[in-house]
Amino acid sequence: MELEPKEKQKQSVSRRDFLKLSAIAGTGITLGAAGMGAIMGIVKPESGKASALSNDRISLYGQHQAGIVTPQQTYMYLASFHLTGDDRSSVIRLFRDWTKFCDLSTAGGTMKTGDNTLLPPNDTGETLDLPAAKLTITFGLGPTFFREEGKDRFGIAAKAPRYLKDIPRMPRENLDPSLSGGDVCIQVCAEDQQVAFHAVRNLIRLSTGYATVNWMQEGFISATPGKTPRNLFGFKDGTANSEHDTSAGYDDVVWAGEGEPEWMKGGSYLAYRKIRMLLEVWDRTSLKDQEDTFGRFKESGAAYGRSGEFDAVDMSKQPGSAHVHLAKQTGQRIHRRAYSYTNGVDPRTGNVDAGLLFLSYQKNPETQFIPMLRMMQSKDKLNEYTSHVASALFACPRGLKEGQYIGQNILEG
Amino acid sequence: MLFKKITSIASISVASVLLLSACNQASPKEAAPAAQVADTQTQQAAADTKNPVAEDAGKLQEEVKKLQDAISKKDAAQVKSLGKSINDTWLSFENTVRQAFPLEYTEVEKYEMPIFSASAYDKVDFESLKSNADKLHGALEQLKNAKPSTANTSEQLNKAVENYKAFVDEQADNLALQTKAFAEAVKAGDVELAKKEYTKARVYFEIIEPIAESFGDLDPKIDARLADVEDESTWTGYHRIEKALWKDKSLKGQDKYADQLIKDTEELQKQIKGLKLEPKVMVAGAIELLNEAATSKITGEEEIYSRTDLVDLAANVDGSKTVYLAIIPALNEKNPQLADQLDKQFLATEDLLRGHQKDGQYVTYDKLSTEQIRKISDQLSQLSTLMTQTASIL
C-alpha cells in the first residue's frame, strides 16, 4: 500500500490526527469500539501465581452472590444498563457473555488476545499484570427488566420477585431520572480501583448491541480491617451491620425467601440512593451539632449515653431527630454497604460535589427499608446537610452454580 | 460466533461491485458503469441452477412499474405509498439476494434506498425519482436473470478495492466540482446560495474522509477547524468560510479562501486519482469513517457554525456502507453472519437518521435533544463494533 502519510506539517499532532494516520497507514486497525462476540478464548492465571494469591480471590459461585455480605472492598463501581434487544434470546446471549467474563476476571484472568492482529484485542489489557484483588461482580434486576410500561417485554413478567418496585416518591428528594433506575445493575467491587474499572469497562464493552449503559457511579471507602468505615462526614457508617453478622442473622435480614420465586430464594434486594452531602456546610457546623445530628459521638462512634461503638443504643438519650434514633425507632434492620463518592467541583458555587452512594441489602424492602427511608426523609436532622439525587431498587438473584449463567433460572424454563 | 479464526487469505469470486452511496444528494456527475460480472470461474454450469429470487424480483418489478406510472401521473400520494411498499417487499427477500447475488444486490440497494427515503418527504422530486425508478427496474431485470455464483477465487477483495476506488475517485471529482460551485457563490457574495452549496460540498468530503485525510499536507488546509489550528491567521478551508457565512455573516475578504479551496480540492482530486488502495486500507477507512461519526460529528464539534453535523455524520455512515457493500462477496464467503448483522445495523442506523430529516434535509444539530443524540450515538457504537469485525476477512 502506497499511502505514506507525510510527516504532518502541523506543529503538533493531536490524538485525533494520530488515530487517522495510524488507521490509514495500515499500521493497525486497532481503532474504535471493541470487538466482542468471540471473546471467550481465555488466559487463566498461571497456577503458581494462583495458589500464592488465592486469598485474593472471591469465588463467583455459591449459594448467594458475592459482594453482598462480603466484607467491603475499598473501591466500587455501580453501573446501570438499559436492555436494547427486543427478545429474550438477546438477553440470554448478553448474560452468558457477562457470566463468562465474570468467571474469568474474578479468578484473575483476562480474555485472550485473538490471532488476528487486524482486529481489536479482546481484552482491554489494563489488568494483565494485576491480581484479582478480591473482585466481586454482583447483578441486580430492576422492575423494568420484568415489565416495562405494562409490557411483558421478555415473557418473564410472571417470574417477577415479590417486592420489586421503584422506591416511591419521598419528601425532600431531588432525583435526576437519568441517574436513577435501570433494567440491570452491576455492582463491581475490588481492592484495586484499576481492577474494578477494568471489569466494569469490559462489561460495558460486552453489552454493545444488547444494552446501553444508563449511568455509572464510582465510590471508595476505607477502614482499618475490623473497624467500621467512616463516611465523608467523619462518622462511622454501618455500625449496626455487626448486629446481624451471623449466618442466621443474614437469613433474618438479607436473604429473601418466603413467597419469592425460586431464583430469588437466597437473593436480596438492593436499595440504592445517591445522596449528595453538603460538605462545606457540614464542615462549618459545630461538633455538638454534628454529633446531635447522628446521635453518636464522632470519634468513638458510641451512641449518646454509651461508651463503646457497639453498645446498644439508649433511646432515652437520643435527640428526637437524630439519625440513629430514627433508624432504631423503625425496629427494622438492613445490611448497609455504602461507598463515598466525589465528582469534582460545582462550577457555580465552587463547592465540592461529594456524598454517599448509599447501598443496602435486605430481604424485604417494603418493611425493612421504605418505612425507614420515609421516616428519615421527613424527620432526619441529616436532611439539612444532604440531598437525595438518585434512586433505584434491584432484585439480586441467588448465587450461581458453576456452569450456570446469571439469570438462567429466570430466562429459561 | 461473530468472527472466525482466519487462517488464509480470503478467496475468490469474481465480482465486480460498483458502489454508489445511498446518499441523498444529487451527484453532479453521473455514475460510472454498473456491475460487470466477469464470471470466469463458475464451477458448475449455472444453467441448471434455478434462480431462487426470480419470482420475488418479478413481483417487486411489478410494483416498480406501478411506481413509474404514478410518477408519470405526478401522483404524490401514490408515489409515497409505493415507496414504502416497495421497501417492505425488498426487505422481505433482500437477505437471500445478498447471499446469492451480492452484485445484483448492491445495484438494487443503490436505487431502492433513495426511493424509500424520498417517500417520507413532504415534497416529491419526481424527476430524480423517475431516474431512480427506471434504474431500479433495470437492476431488478438483471436480478431476475442472474445466475447463482459459486465463484471461489482470491480476487474477490481486490475486485472490491478496485470498485471502491472507482467510487472514491468519483466522489473526489464531485468534491472538486461542488467545491467550485460553492467557492463561486462565496466570491459572488451570495450568502444564501453559498450556504446551500457548502452543505452539498461537505458531503463529498465526509464520504471519503479518511482517504482525503491521508494527504497530511492538504487535509488541514481544506478541513481544519478553528480548534485544530495553532495560529488563527493561517486558518483556511471550508470551516474558515463556514464561520464567515454563519457567524460573521459577511463574505468580506473570503475570496482568497475560496480560491485556495478550489486549488486545494483540485489537488486532492489529482492525488486521490494517483493513489493505490489496498484491502486493509479500505477496511480501516470504513471503520475510521464510523469513528469520525461517533467522535467529532455526534458531539457537534465538526460544524460549530453551520450546525450541519448530521449531514456530515450521514455522509460518514454512507461512506462506510459503501465499503460494506463492496465486501459483501468476501463476507458471504468468510463470515455470512457478520454480513447479516451489518445489514441489520446499517438499516437501523439509516432509519434512525432518516427520522431527523425534514423534506430530505437533516435538521441542524441544535435541534437535537440529549436523548436523541444519545440514541444516535448508541446506534453508531453498535454499528462500529460490528464493522470492526470486518477485518476478519483480511
Side-chain angles (χ1 to χ4, degrees):
Chain A
M1 74 130 256
E2 286 26 280
L3 240 179
E4 290 281 319
K6 290 177 195 153
E7 199 60 41
K8 278 243 163 178
Q9 315 271 305
K10 283 190 258 179
Q11 296 80 347
S12 63
V13 177
S14 69
R15 188 171 161 278
R16 179 172 173 255
D17 295 325
F18 174 74
L19 290 177
K20 281 169 191 156
L21 284 174
S22 57
I24 288 300
T27 51
I29 311 182
T30 58
L31 305 179
M36 274 307 152
I39 60 155
M40 298 314 168
I42 55 175
V43 182
K44 282 279 189 186
E46 307 146 34
S47 53
K49 200 170 136 195
S51 56
L53 294 169
S54 57
N55 60 355
D56 217 47
R57 292 195 200 147
I58 296 175
S59 173
L60 176 66
Y61 305 102
Q63 197 186 345
H64 309 295
Q65 286 199 68
I68 297 176
V69 299
T70 307
Q72 266 187 279
Q73 300 95 321
T74 310
Y75 300 98
M76 183 207 61
Y77 284 88
L78 191 67
S80 151
F81 293 83
H82 169 69
L83 296 169
T84 52
D86 43 19
D87 58 353
R88 201 192 297 186
S89 65
S90 72
V91 182
I92 290 174
R93 178 154 177 183
L94 171 63
F95 282 25
R96 276 182 190 281
D97 284 357
W98 270 348
T99 307
K100 284 179 193 164
F101 174 78
C102 293
D103 172 80
L104 186 62
S105 56
T106 53
T110 50
M111 291 178 281
K112 193 177 173 182
T113 298
D115 300 332
N116 186 341
T117 56
L118 296 174
L119 293 171
N122 287 328
D123 199 288
T124 54
E126 67 269 37
T127 56
L128 276 169
D129 313 310
L130 291 173
K134 296 193 174 161
L135 176 70
T136 59
I137 303 172
T138 314
F139 288 81
L141 306 168
T144 49
F145 181 79
F146 295 93
R147 197 181 279 278
E148 193 176 35
E149 287 164 5
K151 224 181 97 201
D152 184 0
R153 51 201 300 223
F154 306 118
I156 50 175
K159 291 190 181 173
R162 207 166 160 189
Y163 304 110
L164 186 62
K165 297 197 228 348
D166 284 332
I167 295 171
R169 198 196 76 86
M170 292 289 154
R172 294 194 178 84
E173 67 184 9
N174 186 21
L175 303 185
D176 179 345
S178 71
L179 297 177
S180 298
D183 297 336
V184 181
C185 156
I186 306 183
Q187 174 199 274
V188 175
C189 298
E191 292 297 346
D192 181 316
Q193 190 172 13
Q194 188 153 318
V195 170
F197 181 69
H198 170 263
V200 78
R201 173 185 183 187
N202 283 280
L203 289 165
I204 292 172
R205 252 163 53 108
L206 283 167
S207 77
T208 308
Y210 305 102
T212 62
V213 61
N214 291 324
W215 48 263
M216 181 178 91
Q217 299 291 331
E218 57 181 275
F220 57 91
I221 195 90
S222 188
T224 308
K227 299 218 165 155
T228 310
R230 290 175 186 271
N231 62 30
L232 295 180
F233 282 163
F235 279 76
K236 293 184 183 241
D237 193 324
T239 298
N241 278 354
S242 65
E243 292 169 16
H244 56 260
D245 187 18
T246 60
S247 157
Y250 288 131
D251 282 344
D252 281 350
V253 176
V254 179
W255 307 125
E258 208 180 324
E260 294 287 2
E262 263 323 287
W263 64 267
M264 191 60 183
K265 289 188 181 8
S268 189
Y269 290 92
L270 164 60
Y272 162 66
R273 304 286 283 183
K274 180 175 182 179
I275 306 172
R276 172 145 187 208
M277 308 203 316
L278 308 175
L279 299 188
E280 290 78 3
V281 180
W282 180 259
D283 293 345
R284 292 191 286 263
T285 302
S286 72
L287 178 60
K288 180 164 186 311
D289 275 358
Q290 290 189 1
E291 292 183 334
D292 283 352
T293 302
F294 277 93
R296 285 187 188 275
F297 296 109
K298 192 168 190 176
E299 240 173 83
S300 67
Y304 274 13
R306 302 289 173 179
S307 57
E309 176 193 351
F310 299 104
D311 296 350
V313 174
D314 178 351
M315 297 293 268
S316 69
K317 298 275 174 25
Q318 286 285 325
S321 60
H323 185 67
V324 166
H325 180 240
L326 293 169
K328 294 289 166 196
Q329 215 176 45
T330 62
Q332 293 293 337
R333 286 181 295 163
I334 56 175
H335 183 71
R336 299 183 59 132
R337 208 170 190 280
Y339 283 85
S340 297
Y341 78 87
T342 61
N343 185 28
V345 166
D346 185 334
R348 294 164 307 173
T349 59
N351 290 342
V352 174
D353 178 5
L356 189 72
L357 303 171
F358 171 92
L359 299 167
S360 75
Y361 288 91
Q362 48 272 308
K363 65 194 295 185
N364 180 346
E366 275 181 18
T367 55
Q368 291 170 273
F369 177 70
I370 290 171
M372 193 185 293
L373 177 67
R374 186 169 285 123
M375 182 179 275
M376 303 275 187
Q377 285 292 92
S378 17
K379 297 190 184 153
D380 198 342
K381 197 165 176 326
L382 257 179
N383 289 330
E384 293 172 32
Y385 309 98
T386 59
S387 170
H388 288 225
V389 295
S391 175
L393 188 73
F394 298 101
C396 305
R398 70 174 184 215
L400 279 184
K401 289 196 194 96
E402 223 161 321
Q404 283 184 325
Y405 64 87
I406 286 288
Q408 184 163 7
N409 33 20
I410 307 172
L411 295 161
E412 289 178 21
Chain B
M1 266 349 216
L2 250 171
F3 56 85
K4 304 189 215 171
K5 204 152 99 178
I6 299 312
T7 47
S8 68
I9 302 277
S11 46
I12 56 98
S13 164
V14 192
S16 158
V17 191
L18 178 92
L19 304 146
L20 284 174
S21 71
C23 165
N24 295 319
Q25 313 288 325
S27 309
K29 185 171 173 272
E30 193 38 89
Q36 333 148 338
V37 181
D39 205 7
T40 54
Q41 304 216 343
T42 304
Q43 293 175 347
Q44 287 179 334
D48 57 334
T49 46
K50 198 172 163 286
N51 179 335
V53 294
E55 201 181 313
D56 287 324
K59 272 188 215 154
L60 186 53
Q61 219 176 11
E62 291 301 309
E63 286 191 64
V64 174
K65 266 186 209 137
K66 285 187 211 156
L67 176 71
Q68 288 170 312
D69 283 351
I71 292 171
S72 65
K73 287 183 200 140
K74 305 225 180 253
D75 182 345
Q78 182 71 0
V79 164
K80 285 185 188 184
S81 133
L82 282 164
K84 291 192 183 80
S85 67
I86 284 171
N87 191 55
D88 291 341
T89 310
W90 172 233
L91 289 184
S92 72
F93 73 104
E94 62 141 13
N95 278 348
T96 323
V97 179
R98 182 157 37 76
Q99 292 289 324
F101 309 108
L103 305 181
E104 290 79 7
Y105 171 83
T106 303
E107 280 297 295
V108 174
E109 180 81 3
K110 184 166 79 186
Y111 302 116
E112 193 276 335
M113 269 314 276
I115 290 174
F116 176 53
S117 297
S119 69
Y121 305 162
D122 286 345
K123 246 196 257 151
V124 177
D125 178 350
F126 290 102
E127 205 171 306
S128 82
L129 264 178
K130 183 177 185 313
S131 141
N132 281 323
D134 294 350
K135 286 177 184 147
L136 179 55
H137 194 273
L140 288 167
E141 192 61 35
Q142 281 186 9
L143 177 58
K144 266 180 11 192
N145 300 315
K147 296 184 179 76
S149 158
T150 49
N152 219 339
T153 98
S154 70
E155 264 169 30
Q156 212 168 34
L157 271 176
N158 290 337
K159 266 294 173 197
V161 171
E162 195 177 295
N163 294 308
Y164 178 66
K165 180 62 176 19
F167 167 80
V168 170
D169 287 349
E170 192 198 331
Q171 300 304 307
D173 292 346
N174 291 343
L175 175 68
L177 268 175
Q178 182 60 49
T179 301
K180 199 158 184 200
F182 165 59
E184 297 301 342
V186 170
K187 290 203 287 184
D190 188 337
V191 172
E192 284 319 305
L193 181 63
K195 281 181 174 178
K196 278 196 195 113
E197 301 291 353
Y198 173 84
T199 311
K200 286 192 212 161
R202 293 293 298 153
V203 170
Y204 297 115
F205 187 84
E206 293 296 337
I207 204 163
I208 53 168
E209 189 171 19
I211 304 282
E213 284 175 345
S214 63
F215 301 99
D217 47 348
L218 276 173
D219 169 45
K221 282 160 111 180
I222 296 173
D223 191 39
R225 299 163 304 178
L226 180 53
D228 297 327
V229 296
E230 198 109 327
D231 174 1
E232 194 177 338
S233 69
T234 63
W235 185 28
T236 60
Y238 290 117
H239 296 298
R240 177 66 195 85
I241 308 176
E242 180 204 359
K243 176 168 178 277
L245 283 169
W246 275 275
K247 187 165 182 244
D248 306 338
K249 298 187 187 350
S250 157
L251 286 171
K252 215 176 135 223
Q254 296 300 306
D255 288 21
K256 61 175 188 274
Y257 300 123
D259 285 330
Q260 184 67 41
L261 192 54
I262 296 176
K263 232 181 89 205
D264 291 339
T265 46
E266 281 174 354
E267 176 62 23
L268 182 66
Q269 177 190 20
K270 212 178 92 199
Q271 293 207 25
I272 285 178
K273 286 271 152 79
L275 179 71
K276 192 177 173 314
L277 275 179
E278 286 209 347
K280 265 187 207 175
V281 179
M282 175 178 73
V283 171
I287 295 163
E288 172 61 9
L289 276 161
L290 293 177
N291 286 337
E292 274 292 334
T295 53
S296 67
K297 309 307 187 311
I298 195 64
T299 52
E301 288 167 25
E302 184 74 20
E303 303 282 356
I304 57 173
Y305 310 110
S306 67
R307 309 277 48 183
T308 53
D309 305 84
L310 273 189
V311 176
D312 297 4
L313 188 150
N316 287 160
V317 172
D318 266 348
S320 193
K321 188 182 180 188
T322 311
V323 176
Y324 154 68
L325 291 172
I327 61 175
I328 286 177
L331 282 174
N332 281 349
E333 190 79 13
K334 304 288 277 190
N335 198 342
Q337 210 196 341
L338 179 58
D340 282 348
Q341 290 172 303
L342 275 169
D343 187 63
K344 211 173 124 199
Q345 292 300 336
F346 270 113
L347 272 177
T349 309
E350 285 166 345
D351 246 16
L352 183 62
L353 290 175
R354 202 177 296 119
H356 297 292
Q357 285 183 341
K358 237 183 143 182
D359 289 336
Q361 300 291 323
Y362 284 103
V363 301
T364 51
Y365 187 81
D366 50 311
K367 298 281 190 307
L368 296 174
S369 69
T370 311
E371 291 74 24
Q372 289 172 324
I373 292 168
R374 171 71 193 261
K375 214 164 173 195
I376 299 172
S377 181
D378 282 344
Q379 181 55 43
L380 280 174
S381 71
Q382 291 192 31
L383 181 59
S384 315
T385 301
L386 283 176
M387 201 64 190
T388 311
Q389 300 302 325
T390 55
S392 65
I393 62 169
L394 295 174

